[in-house]
Amino acid sequence: MRRLPILAAVSLLSISAVVAHARSSEDRAGVGNHIIVGENETVGDVACVFCDVVVHGRVTGDVAIAFGKLQVDEGKSISGDVAAFATPITLEEGASIGGDLAAVGGNFTEKGATIHGNRVISSSPLWVLIPLAPILFVGGLIWLLITTIRNRTPMPPPYPGRYQRM
């Protein structure tokens, strides 16, 4: 019981430290909000969880995104690698990725874009369940335990006058 608040506090501090470090340089990081790279803007690395990334400018580093959406506008570029998990990716005409593209569990739309590195794309939604498998397994065991205990508990006797025969 005591570990849950401590784990939550450590996680919150870790996320805020990453976001604070990213804001101190040209990198961008976010949890639950949108990251938009402006038209005449150049940024370094981009990391995002549960949010959308829209590139109207230039990204000189890598992009890592999970459970969001990535869109790169026409003629814009990402110089590094792109890693996406459960994220639809849209690359417009003339967009480019200078490194590798690894996408698992999301749709990929490419309209005349260039990817200079290797491309590994698995759009099957079942891949999303692999990291969640331990949580689903433990949840299933808990459900089974609760159901078994409830079924073994004897029901109280019915109210005495309720089910009498006439």
Side-chain angles (χ1 to χ4, degrees):
M1 283 306 259
R2 296 172 121 189
R3 291 185 182 191
L4 185 62
I6 293 172
L7 181 63
V10 169
S11 299
L12 183 62
L13 288 173
S14 299
I15 290 171
S16 62
V18 168
V19 172
H21 174 71
R23 288 191 178 147
S24 66
S25 63
E26 291 185 10
D27 297 341
R28 299 272 181 94
V31 177
N33 58 357
H34 301 299
I35 296 177
I36 299 173
V37 179
E39 183 70 33
N40 296 321
E41 191 175 9
T42 301
V43 299
D45 295 330
V46 177
C48 182
V49 178
F50 298 112
C51 59
D52 299 341
V53 176
V54 180
V55 179
H56 298 299
R58 184 167 184 256
V59 178
T60 59
D62 301 326
V63 174
I65 182 171
F67 302 107
K69 183 174 103 177
L70 174 63
Q71 177 183 346
V72 181
D73 283 349
E74 182 176 339
K76 305 307 177 186
S77 67
I78 298 173
S79 298
D81 300 326
V82 174
F85 180 74
T87 300
I89 299 173
T90 304
L91 302 175
E92 299 291 335
E93 178 95 25
S96 69
I97 296 176
D100 299 332
L101 171 66
V104 175
N107 296 331
F108 177 69
T109 307
E110 175 188 4
K111 303 173 183 172
T114 305
I115 300 171
H116 295 286
N118 294 325
R119 178 186 314 199
V120 178
I121 300 169
S122 175
S123 61
S124 172
L126 294 177
W127 284 100
V128 176
L129 295 177
I130 289 175
L132 301 176
I135 296 169
L136 294 173
F137 180 73
V138 170
L141 286 178
I142 291 171
W143 173 82
L144 181 64
L145 181 66
I146 290 172
T147 304
T148 304
I149 290 171
R150 280 188 182 168
N151 288 340
R152 288 180 172 232
T153 305
M155 297 296 293
Y159 184 70
R162 194 172 193 181
Y163 298 107
Q164 293 180 356
R165 292 188 176 184
M166 297 190 156

